[in-house]
């Protein structure tokens, strides 16, 4: 891959780095707040932060102010039965995100885009399901930042992947 004149970084390297940043966003979204408590809940937590919110996982009300998909996966996993399906879906999102990051780091625009599509579809499935079941928004929690981060990271990754793909096609045409 040719370097740009003037000693600057190569455009393919920049596109690849942008893909990695988008993929990091997909991984990070799993650990960011999926649900965030309203101010009334936060005020109540300040009075008794160590009260148990969900005992099987040891989650206190303080821990439950901003709940990530990681935390939801632990809660659903502890419930057993068909609830564990949510654990599998959540961890599948993390796995697809991690594979997306790996492929982005290797400079594979098509593979990383395919896995990013799967990740976004899984996150949107969970958004629909949580909303349909009334998990979020609820009387104490609204949506956190994670669903939005999934969308923004997906768009960034796909834009960078298309950019890298086009740059490589132009490079082949010039060769």
């Amino acid at each position: 891959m040719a370097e740009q004149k003037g000693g600057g970084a190569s455009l393919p390297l920049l596109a690849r780095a942008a893909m990695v940043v988008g993929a990091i966003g997909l991984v990070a979204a799993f650990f960011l707040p999926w649900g965030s408590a309203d101010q009334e809940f936060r005020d109540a937590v300040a009075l008794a932060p160590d009260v148990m919110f969900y005992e099987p996982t040891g989650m206190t009300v303080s821990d439950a102010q901003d709940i990530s998909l990681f935390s939801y996966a632990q809660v659903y996993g502890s419930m057993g039965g068909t609830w564990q399906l949510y654990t599998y879906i959540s961890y599948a999102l993390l796995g697809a995100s991690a594979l997306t990051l790996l492929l982005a780091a290797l400079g594979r625009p098509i593979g990383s885009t395919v896995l990013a599509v799967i990740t976004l579809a899984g996150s949107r499935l969970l958004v629909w399901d949580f909303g349909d079941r009334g998990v979020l928004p609820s009387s104490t929690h609204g949506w956190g930042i994670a669903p939005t981060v999934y969308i923004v990271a997906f768009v960034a990754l796909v834009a960078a992947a298309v950019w890298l793909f086009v740059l490589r096609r132009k490079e082949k045409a010039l060769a």
Side-chain angles (χ1 to χ4, degrees), residues 46-82:
L47 299 174
D50 296 326
V51 171
M52 276 297 166
F53 184 76
Y54 188 68
E55 196 166 338
T57 61
M59 183 185 291
T60 64
V61 290
S62 183
D63 299 331
Q65 291 181 83
D66 295 305
I67 307 173
S68 66
L69 270 181
F70 178 70
S71 297
Y72 274 113
Q74 290 177 323
V75 168
Y76 285 124
S78 72
M79 295 169 78
T82 57

Side-chain angles (χ1 to χ4, degrees), residues 18 26 79 142 171:
L26 293 176
M79 295 169 78
E171 188 177 276

